[in-house]
Amino acid sequence: MDHFLYRDGILHAEDVPLPGIAAEVGTPFYVYSTATLTRHYTLFKEALEGLPNLVCYAMKSNSNQAVIKVLADLGAGMDVVSGGEYLRARAAGVPGARIVFSGIGKTAEEMRLTLEGGIRQFNVESEPELEVLSQVAVSLGKTAPITIRVNPDVDARTHAKIATGKSENKFGIPIARAREVYALAARLPGLQIVGIDVHIGSQLTDLAPFEAAYLKTVELTRMLRADGHDIRRLDLGGGLGIPYERSNTAPPLPTEYGALIKRITGDLDVEVEIEPGRLISGNAGLMVAGLIYVKHGEGRDFLILDAAMNDLIRPAMYDAHHDIIPVIEPEPGVEQAPYDIVGPVCESGDTFTKQRHMPPLDAGDLLAFRSAGAYGAVMSSEYNTRPLIPEVLVKGDHFAVIRPRPTFDDIINRDIVPEWL
Ligand code: LLP
């Protein structure tokens, strides 16, 4: 459930009519609902009730500081994947003790930054990374708490570009080699083993791959404990999918996911961490675009929007589906016609969808892309010198711009033309 509903025929974000926001900030823009963010985070907390746990929001999915603050104020931890994300989380008020640092390419500089600033744990993904982290920790006179990310060789049955748990993927240490690598970690100075980490992919719509990966992780926990390691945390990653297509069957609910985790890890006496991103932020956001032209082409018609692939790249990059609905509710039973819905960028990949049935629309109408709160604004760029679009946060009947649209001057003045040219 989200808080984007038609009221009196006008699409609202919570209690705010979207045309009002469009009039104030212009189109296109992203809009997020505080109530939806809160609800999704709370669903995970409730699902894990009874187990010691920390829900670490994967802030790569939407890292606006206002969004982070909504979640941090509820007690959320953060999963960060760069020094920049770490500093952003800290700037939004998240204590270091609630931040886990994931990613296969942490630099020594990022390790220094986070160790000095305070960090809950590093999820380490390779032997060379273990060695560098050990050196950095020793040089600072600190101890780095670590888990090692294991690759369980499980097929997440999701889009190939976002599957991470197969042996051919670049992530983690093959689970078969885990004991050897934990032994190395135990020998290296400056490191303290605190647990195991596993993350098999994103937009999973089935619990079976989670179950397979978690069962292997539990088995490994017992083995590593028998080897004398103090495994007290399991970071079970993120990845639970969301219903992008309302008309399709729904992925499992956080309650079902939580029940699975409790069933599998319940008697291990561990603290569980999870790293959901998309399920918290995805359906908490819309992208709202204006219709520039209705173009009648050879055998097909196009809706040309003022938003483009640079603003929401998921359709171009993953062939992703986003429901697209008019901000003014169509009359019931109105006849629909197929359109290709496209942006103005000069490549054919700038197509949001092909032959989507839509009600009659005119230039100037507003369209909302659903499920755009995750991996939308964060993946946008200024390709074609199109300014990054603003982000707006709604709470009840008020809203605020939480990232303004840059001016053309802002963009153009960033370039430096060398004097010697
Ligand atoms: N933890 C780790 C280590 C991850 O790599 C990811 C996502 C997550 C947690 C959060 O996964 P989520 O709960 O959001 O599925 N840009 C792509 C998705 C990339 C996901 C990358 N890793 C998309 O738009 O579909």
Side-chain angles (χ1 to χ4, degrees), residues 375-403:
Y375 307 111
V378 284
M379 294 181 77
S380 57
S381 76
E382 288 175 343
Y383 187 36
N384 281 211
T385 307
R386 295 169 46 83
L388 292 182
I389 69 178
E391 294 174 281
V392 171
L393 184 69
V394 169
K395 184 177 186 186
D397 61 2
H398 46 270
F399 72 91
V401 173
I402 56 173
R403 185 182 72 187

Side-chain angles (χ1 to χ4, degrees), residues 58 60 79 102 149 162 199 202-203 238-240 275-278 314 318 375 379:
K60 64 165 78 73
D79 169 45
S102 300
R149 175 167 174 184
I162 53 175
H199 169 80
S202 192
Q203 186 54 16
L240 191 58
E275 301 170 349
R278 190 190 312 265
R314 302 194 66 261
Y318 314 109
Y375 307 111
M379 294 181 77

Side-chain angles (χ1 to χ4, degrees), residues 43-60:
L43 282 177
F44 278 114
K45 283 308 278 183
E46 287 171 0
L48 294 178
E49 212 178 304
L51 270 189
N53 70 80
L54 186 66
V55 175
C56 296
Y57 168 61
M59 60 179 268
K60 64 165 78 73

Side-chain angles (χ1 to χ4, degrees), residues 2-6 11-13 31-33 36 283-286 370:
D2 61 40
H3 290 77
F4 302 107
L5 298 171
Y6 288 112
L11 191 61
H12 282 59
V31 57
Y32 311 129
S33 150
T36 313
N283 281 331
L286 303 179
R370 285 191 171 277

